[in-house]
Amino acid sequence: MTSLAALRPTTAKVVTESATGLDPDRVLVFGDALFPPGSALDQGARITADALAAMTGRGADVTAVSWSAWSGEPLAAAANTLRCVNYDVVVVTLTDSVIHGRTSAGAVAEAAADLLEQVDRFRQRLLPTTEVIVVLAHREDQSDLAAALQAGRDEVVILAVDSTTMNGLPRVLEVSRALLAHQRATARSPQWHRDAPQPCQERYEAVDQLGILDTAREARFDRIVDSMARVFRTEGAAITFIPENRQWTKAGRWFPVGSSPLQNSFCRTTVLGSGPLVVGDAWQAKRPLPRNDVRFYAGYPLETLDGTRVGAVCVFDPKPRDEASVELDLLRDYAVRVRRELYRR
């Protein structure tokens, strides 16, 4: 697989917003045609995540990319800094604005055909089981064009929606919900893939690209750590990163900031999976874990915008604790909060 560092940087804006809940679905959206008029890209992504989570009862991570088929930037280039194999559903939109006033049926059909060619090339970067939805959002009825484009194409779903109403997003999300339900029952699904350890080199590169390593303490991260310890009623809490050959702590309570050996790290195990790691009593655990002053530990992976796991948020204590007492949804919310701070400019 091509390393992220070797890929050409994109000029497109990328944001990720999340809805509370475990086992989140991951959706990648190109373009803002389905978002409420006048909303910023992050607002649209947040609305989409909340709506999808309400439908599924799970969490949701929605990455939105500012993209236009007529911007001069191919679809693959608009996402060339993203680890696309992490996504369950990809939504690509073609809107009125991208044809720059060419409102004839021929112009729309030409734009749609070009878009599908880009989608075909882009699919090579996705898992075979990733679902792709192409949306024709137009003032005129494009249902006939959508049906014609769909003929003989089982690998994508093509929808025509009215760009003058707010019905497009609910329809796309309902289709996404159905696709996700089928996908989750499929072997080698993106969800299954995310549960497996990610390539270490990709994590190292992602940590480096964040530019966070070996930076000074910051009050905004210290406040998050203090809040975690208070809410979970633990002596310790931390925000950690796992670069090559060490653990580095950006903010910590009852734990030193800076570098520490990996053999003392619980978080090195947390980053191996996509969900939480909860250890009621490390001294009694059957899996290989550090034997030190920490007995209770609960951590959740800290991710980049595209879901590359770079570290963890965690709470811990010198006393054992019932694993079932941990509010895992809340732990994930803290991981999302830290991610948002990492990308705040």
Side-chain angles (χ1 to χ4, degrees):
M1 180 180 294
T2 304
S3 69
L4 296 180
L7 295 170
R8 182 171 62 83
T10 178
T11 59
K13 180 180 179 181
V14 181
V15 301
T16 296
E17 294 293 337
S18 301
T20 296
L22 296 178
D23 194 18
D25 298 302
R26 294 193 67 91
V27 178
L28 175 59
V29 181
F30 288 95
D32 59 0
L34 297 174
F35 301 156
S39 63
L41 200 65
D42 56 347
Q43 293 173 322
R46 191 175 306 116
I47 290 170
T48 303
D50 288 341
L52 180 61
M55 286 183 175
T56 64
R58 295 185 295 270
D61 294 314
V62 174
T63 300
V65 182
S66 60
W67 174 82
S68 165
W70 292 90
S71 67
E73 186 170 48
L75 179 61
N80 65 7
T81 58
L82 297 175
R83 192 169 188 267
C84 296
V85 294
N86 281 339
Y87 292 97
D88 309 321
V89 175
V90 177
V91 179
V92 186
T93 57
L94 179 68
T95 67
D96 286 335
S97 61
V98 303
I99 62 173
H100 295 311
R102 290 176 287 179
T103 57
S104 69
V108 176
E110 180 182 354
D114 175 70
L115 176 61
L116 287 183
E117 289 183 6
Q118 292 195 47
V119 168
D120 287 342
R121 292 192 293 271
F122 176 67
R123 278 189 59 81
Q124 299 174 17
R125 302 179 54 191
L126 305 175
L127 293 178
T129 50
T130 299
E131 300 288 356
V132 178
I133 303 174
V134 175
V135 181
L136 309 180
H138 202 265
R139 287 185 294 267
E140 305 295 332
D141 181 13
Q142 300 298 333
S143 55
D144 289 343
L145 175 60
L149 293 172
Q150 184 73 78
R153 274 184 169 273
D154 296 332
E155 70 278 10
V156 297
V157 175
I158 302 174
L159 301 175
V161 301
D162 187 345
S163 63
T164 63
T165 70
M166 293 298 296
N167 295 328
L169 181 59
R171 183 181 176 197
V172 170
L173 289 180
E174 183 55 40
V175 171
S176 299
R177 184 200 61 77
L179 292 173
L180 285 164
H182 178 266
Q183 181 188 68
R184 281 174 168 265
T186 303
R188 305 287 176 170
S189 65
Q191 299 86 8
W192 179 92
H193 181 84
R194 283 201 302 278
D195 285 340
Q198 296 174 338
C200 291
Q201 189 59 39
E202 292 190 2
R203 182 175 76 245
Y204 302 153
E205 292 172 1
V207 173
D208 288 342
Q209 289 171 3
L210 284 172
I212 193 72
L213 286 181
D214 303 317
T215 57
R217 295 188 69 157
E218 297 180 63
R220 55 183 178 144
F221 293 110
D222 288 339
R223 285 193 295 269
I224 294 175
V225 163
D226 289 342
S227 175
M228 290 169 60
R230 183 173 63 255
V231 168
F232 286 94
R233 302 182 302 281
T234 56
E235 288 197 34
I239 299 169
T240 69
F241 296 85
I242 310 295
E244 190 170 7
N245 297 326
R246 60 174 171 149
Q247 173 177 289
W248 185 77
T249 302
K250 174 63 175 176
R253 179 168 171 171
W254 192 56
F255 193 84
V257 298
S259 296
S260 58
L262 281 178
Q263 61 263 31
N264 297 332
S265 171
F266 286 80
C267 296
R268 69 182 297 190
T269 303
T270 302
V271 298
L272 297 179
S274 62
L277 172 66
V278 181
V279 181
D281 187 352
W283 292 6
Q284 305 299 325
K286 295 181 180 179
R287 71 174 75 191
L289 290 170
R291 290 290 298 269
N292 50 37
D293 292 340
V294 173
R295 297 189 69 173
F296 165 75
Y297 170 93
Y300 199 94
L302 178 58
E303 298 179 336
T304 60
L305 294 178
D306 63 2
T308 302
R309 298 189 289 271
V310 292
V313 298
C314 58
V315 292
F316 42 92
D317 205 81
K319 297 179 181 179
R321 183 177 299 190
D322 181 7
E323 295 181 8
S325 68
V326 182
E327 296 183 58
L328 299 178
D329 284 12
L330 187 56
L331 194 60
R332 176 175 179 262
D333 286 345
Y334 275 109
V336 169
R337 182 175 168 184
V338 173
R339 184 195 65 205
R340 187 174 293 120
E341 288 296 331
L342 289 173
Y343 288 92
R344 192 182 299 279
R345 295 293 182 263

